[in-house]
Amino acid sequence: VQLQASGGGLVQAGGSLRLSCAASGRTFSDYAMGWFRQAPGKEREFVAYISRTGGNTAVKESVKGRFTISRDNAKNTVYLQMNNLKPEDTAVYYCAAARYYTTSQGEYDYWGQGTQVTVSS
């Protein structure tokens, strides 16, 4: 699976962004999808996952109520809607594909190239 993330940018605190991740190469609906992020000087961390059908989702505790993950299997795309952004959300955001939904990075077989999100205060 090839993954192409997009939608990052510079936004003021309180603003919104929607990240997209377009998949190609294999059957998109065979894979659970995840979003991860890596802030400068920090380890990459889990942000959200969604199951193959979209029936199961989860987000990191610190983004609950602000971030929503969704997918459109007809468009081979997964989204991360980010509202009420905070400076601590600044990071490179990566999408990834796995056989089963999980918070564990090691279970994800395919990774996108990352898209930068910068939130100014």
Side-chain angles (χ1 to χ4, degrees):
V1 178
Q2 289 79 49
L3 302 173
Q4 180 73 37
S6 62
L10 173 63
V11 63
Q12 289 187 331
S16 298
L17 285 173
R18 188 176 80 156
L19 305 184
S20 300
C21 176
S24 62
R26 296 203 181 195
T27 304
F28 181 64
S29 58
D30 283 348
Y31 294 88
M33 298 297 296
W35 285 97
F36 296 81
R37 68 186 182 186
Q38 187 167 21
K42 294 187 177 181
E43 298 286 321
R44 189 165 57 188
E45 64 177 4
F46 164 78
V47 176
Y49 68 59
I50 187 166
S51 62
R52 286 174 280 185
T53 63
N56 287 285
T57 64
V59 297
K60 177 180 171 65
E61 187 65 32
S62 64
V63 307
K64 276 185 180 179
R66 301 190 296 122
F67 289 14
T68 304
I69 187 171
S70 62
R71 67 189 295 161
D72 185 337
N73 286 347
K75 294 183 178 180
N76 293 345
T77 303
V78 62
Y79 305 97
L80 185 68
Q81 178 67 44
M82 306 185 294
N83 298 327
N84 190 21
L85 282 159
K86 302 177 180 181
E88 52 263 42
D89 295 318
T90 294
V92 177
Y93 283 72
Y94 299 89
C95 57
R99 283 295 185 179
Y100 301 99
Y101 57 88
T102 175
T103 63
S104 174
Q105 296 184 50
E107 299 298 322
Y108 286 81
D109 300 312
Y110 304 97
W111 291 82
Q113 85 289 1
T115 185
Q116 176 71 47
V117 172
T118 303
V119 185
S120 63
S121 57

